[in-house]
Amino acid sequence: MNALADVEVVIVGTGFSGIAMAMALKEAGRSFVMLEKGNEFGGTWRDNRYPGVACDVPSHLYSLKREPNPYWSHTYSTGDEIQDYILSIVEKHGLREHATLGAWVTAATFDEPTGLWRVNYLLTDGRAQSVVAESLVLGIGGLHMPHIPHIEGLHTFAGELIHTSAWPKDASMHGRRVGVIGTGASAVQVIPPLAEDAEHLTVFQRTPSWVLPRHNEEYSDRTVDRFRRMPRLMDLHRKRIRLTNDARAIAFDSHPELLKIGERQALAHLHNQVKDPALREALTPKYTLGCKRAVLSDFYYPAMVRDDVSLVTDGIEAVTPDGVVTADGTLHELDALILATGFDPAGSFTQLQLTGSDARTFADFGRKGLQTYLGISVPSFPNMFMLMGPNTGLGHTSVLLMIEAQVDHIMGLLAERERREASTVEIRPELAEAFMRQMDERSEHTVWKRGGCNSWYLDRAGRNRSIWPGSVSEYEKRCRSGSYVDYLFI
Ligand code: NAP
């Protein structure tokens, strides 16, 4: 290790990305520290504690390959079960001793003469600290900065105002008049339990979601026991889920006509569960399935047909201390207002003050936006790597597969840098440019661009900067074979 460095690697974030990176570093015997703004490991699953929070990817695939878990209770896990799984990995691998929780990274600067990164952070008590490392890995995730909509008067609301990702531990909606803004993946999950609890629930919908049946099944004790005793059987189960999910990529990427099969399923689901033609019509999406994240729920439509639940499709004009005023002039009086309004994915990386070589910042990429190679490496940012960077999200299967491919790629680069006795590794700028061009070209015919909707998958210029427009297998292959000639080792 460079004698001027405190540690080989600084990892920012302790969600699945940071944890997967830390496990690989630990296994390789490399020194590292983890900096985490929150007060616990878990990322998304620590933050999103709203009633009903769960994962739409089957648990046996939504697990790290180095940490298969025979004990998953259902096909799809609840947020609590996933957070328990995460914490069990943290303890098993002794990651806690490497982490500083409550550490808000304020800036990170590359020092050209030494090839090292200085990472500055603030502790919760206000103390400023810094650490110097050979490499910087950003495992900060894309979906953690809440999108708070610009609605006139929102902050004058006199009742309780909650974003789904900041659910207060002791919040109770029992017997209250509750409003939910949004009908995306988080809303579809939070609405059924809120409908049970609230005196009246008002759902403000701008765009309906495609909702498919979930069929969540409990794993019997016998199955759990077999998975425990026969890891290869559990692995086969994982592979079968993966194959089924992978097949969907073809429809999203290049054959949207195949999405008609899913649309027919979703419409049948809607028809089975919602009998009122007007409500059914209001809940019917007018864009292609997959353009926005399709959701799985057996409880959403039954909640929407309840007498104590109203669907409001008139646009929101303003919020007053008493509730929400819609375009038709109605004041919907509320005691609590839930913002299920999603996240700001672009803000996630740009909010960090990162300074690379030649004093470059992410803002210097200007209108063409951040250039990356495989969503991992950024030109002019030597020895810095991103996990779940641009164009590596997925709408159809487990993002953990992408994270693991990225971790392996980074580990390969660190080993190669060492083998060559180089102090820096940096992606060739022309390769990042070519990669971004390819992302743009390949996104052109995808459902995300052609499906007739707006979503967080697209940036302000209408470019897909979120989703990987291919199969996971292709991404894994490119991460594996991403030849070292793509990089400059100095
Ligand atoms: P989202 O998909 O971005 O949905 C936000 C919702 O808020 C949309 O319905 C949006 O309407 C609405 N909205 C935003 N601003 C509004 C405004 N000013 N007025 C009215 N409505 C407004 O966010 P999310 O539901 O939190 O999900 C984000 C992502 O997290 C998902 O795509 C998924 O990747 C992940 N997630 C996954 C799961 C799961 O596994 N089941 C669960 C939760 C989240 P428009 O559609 O009209 O913009």
Side-chain angles (χ1 to χ4, degrees):
M1 188 173 84
N2 186 317
L4 298 172
D6 300 320
V7 71
E8 287 180 84
V9 183
V10 169
I11 304 171
V12 184
T14 61
F16 266 123
S17 295
I19 288 172
M21 190 71 227
M23 282 166 62
L25 289 168
K26 191 138 189 168
E27 204 177 294
R30 293 189 184 275
S31 63
F32 64 94
V33 295
M34 306 176 83
L35 300 177
E36 167 57 57
K37 69 175 161 56
N39 58 3
E40 183 51 288
F41 285 75
T44 290
W45 302 103
R46 174 204 60 221
D47 291 347
N48 286 273
R49 313 291 289 172
Y50 58 81
V53 62
C55 184
D56 269 359
V57 176
S59 317
H60 279 279
L61 191 60
Y62 198 77
S63 328
L64 294 172
K65 70 177 175 226
R66 291 182 176 92
E67 280 300 335
N69 174 23
Y71 301 105
W72 290 120
S73 65
H74 290 77
T75 320
Y76 302 99
S77 297
T78 61
D80 279 347
E81 199 172 352
I82 299 171
Q83 180 65 356
D84 287 349
Y85 167 73
I86 290 175
L87 295 183
S88 73
I89 295 174
V90 169
E91 304 314 330
K92 179 174 165 190
H93 291 265
L95 301 184
R96 213 170 268 285
E97 67 200 58
H98 296 268
T100 304
L101 303 177
W104 189 285
V105 172
T106 50
T109 308
F110 179 69
D111 179 56
E112 278 181 69
T114 58
L116 300 173
W117 279 91
R118 175 176 290 278
V119 183
N120 298 330
Y121 57 99
L122 275 181
L123 295 173
T124 36
D125 61 10
R127 270 182 303 141
Q129 305 274 304
S130 70
V131 57
V132 175
E134 289 181 343
S135 305
L136 171 64
V137 176
L138 303 178
I140 57 179
L143 301 177
H144 64 105
M145 293 183 61
H147 165 64
I148 307 296
H150 299 288
I151 300 174
E152 191 192 317
L154 184 63
H155 294 286
T156 66
F157 181 58
E160 200 167 7
L161 185 65
I162 303 175
H163 187 274
T164 43
S165 68
W167 199 268
K169 226 177 180 168
D170 49 1
S172 166
M173 297 299 141
H174 188 70
R176 300 168 81 187
R177 297 163 303 171
V178 180
V180 175
I181 301 183
T183 47
S186 301
V188 165
Q189 291 185 337
V190 79
I191 283 168
L194 287 184
E196 288 285 329
D197 242 21
E199 180 200 295
H200 190 93
L201 182 69
T202 308
V203 177
F204 298 93
Q205 172 186 282
R206 195 162 64 179
T207 316
S209 279
W210 283 102
V211 182
L212 287 150
R214 193 152 192 251
H215 303 313
N216 196 14
E217 307 224 338
E218 194 173 347
Y219 287 112
S220 66
D221 290 348
R222 194 156 159 256
T223 305
V224 169
D225 189 49
R226 285 168 77 197
F227 284 159
R228 196 178 51 77
R229 286 185 294 107
M230 294 183 267
R232 288 186 64 182
L233 181 70
M234 180 167 56
D235 190 47
L236 272 178
H237 182 58
R238 175 179 164 102
K239 288 197 169 101
R240 188 188 59 76
I241 301 168
R242 183 176 162 160
L243 273 178
T244 321
N245 282 24
D246 268 2
R248 295 187 199 141
I250 303 165
F252 288 129
D253 300 346
S254 47
H255 291 282
E257 69 278 4
L258 294 176
L259 294 165
K260 287 274 170 239
I261 301 167
E263 288 184 3
R264 277 198 290 275
Q265 253 188 326
L267 288 175
H269 189 46
L270 173 64
H271 280 237
N272 286 340
Q273 294 194 319
V274 179
K275 302 299 172 197
D276 172 8
L279 182 59
R280 207 187 260 173
E281 176 59 21
L283 290 168
T284 304
K286 303 289 185 292
Y287 56 89
T288 310
L289 181 142
C291 182
K292 287 172 183 287
R293 164 92 182 209
V295 292
L296 306 181
S297 178
D298 298 330
F299 307 119
Y300 177 61
Y301 291 141
M304 296 306 294
V305 300
R306 290 171 63 121
D307 292 339
D308 52 4
V309 175
S310 328
L311 178 69
V312 174
T313 55
D314 285 301
I316 296 172
E317 286 280 290
V319 172
T320 71
D322 298 326
V324 171
V325 180
T326 43
D328 59 352
T330 308
L331 167 67
H332 303 268
E333 290 188 54
L334 301 169
D335 303 310
L337 181 56
I338 313 304
L339 302 177
T341 45
F343 300 88
D344 171 13
S348 179
F349 286 105
T350 47
Q351 49 117 18
L352 282 178
Q353 278 187 39
L354 297 171
T355 309
S357 52
D358 301 325
R360 276 195 80 138
T361 67
F362 279 7
D364 293 333
F365 286 98
R367 289 175 61 187
K368 66 181 174 181
L370 183 61
Q371 305 281 290
T372 80
Y373 176 67
L374 295 173
I376 300 174
S377 311
V378 182
S380 300
F381 287 78
N383 295 348
M384 190 207 81
F385 311 101
M386 294 197 243
L387 295 166
M388 290 312 298
N391 286 108
T392 65
L394 298 171
H396 68 288
T397 191
S398 174
V399 290
L400 303 194
L401 300 167
M402 303 293 274
I403 293 171
E404 289 178 318
Q406 293 163 354
V407 166
D408 290 347
H409 185 82
I410 297 167
M411 292 303 291
L413 291 174
L414 298 186
E416 186 65 9
R417 188 182 64 193
E418 196 166 78
R419 196 183 70 76
R420 296 188 188 201
E421 297 181 1
S423 57
T424 60
V425 51
E426 180 183 347
I427 188 61
R428 294 175 188 273
E430 66 275 19
L431 286 172
E433 267 183 35
F435 178 76
M436 298 316 289
R437 252 196 324 276
Q438 190 186 44
M439 291 299 96
D440 286 342
E441 283 161 17
R442 285 179 57 168
S443 295
E444 216 31 67
H445 299 284
T446 61
V447 65
W448 312 303
K449 288 274 290 186
R450 293 295 171 103
C453 78
N454 281 321
S455 78
W456 64 264
Y457 294 164
L458 306 182
D459 69 8
R460 287 204 181 106
R463 295 172 300 208
N464 166 28
R465 284 289 179 266
S466 302
I467 302 287
W468 168 247
S471 68
V472 171
S473 309
E474 182 200 341
Y475 186 78
E476 287 172 332
K477 200 165 151 210
R478 288 179 71 169
C479 281
R480 258 197 316 270
S481 61
S483 147
Y484 297 127
V485 295
D486 296 348
Y487 285 90
L488 295 160
F489 293 87
I490 296 168

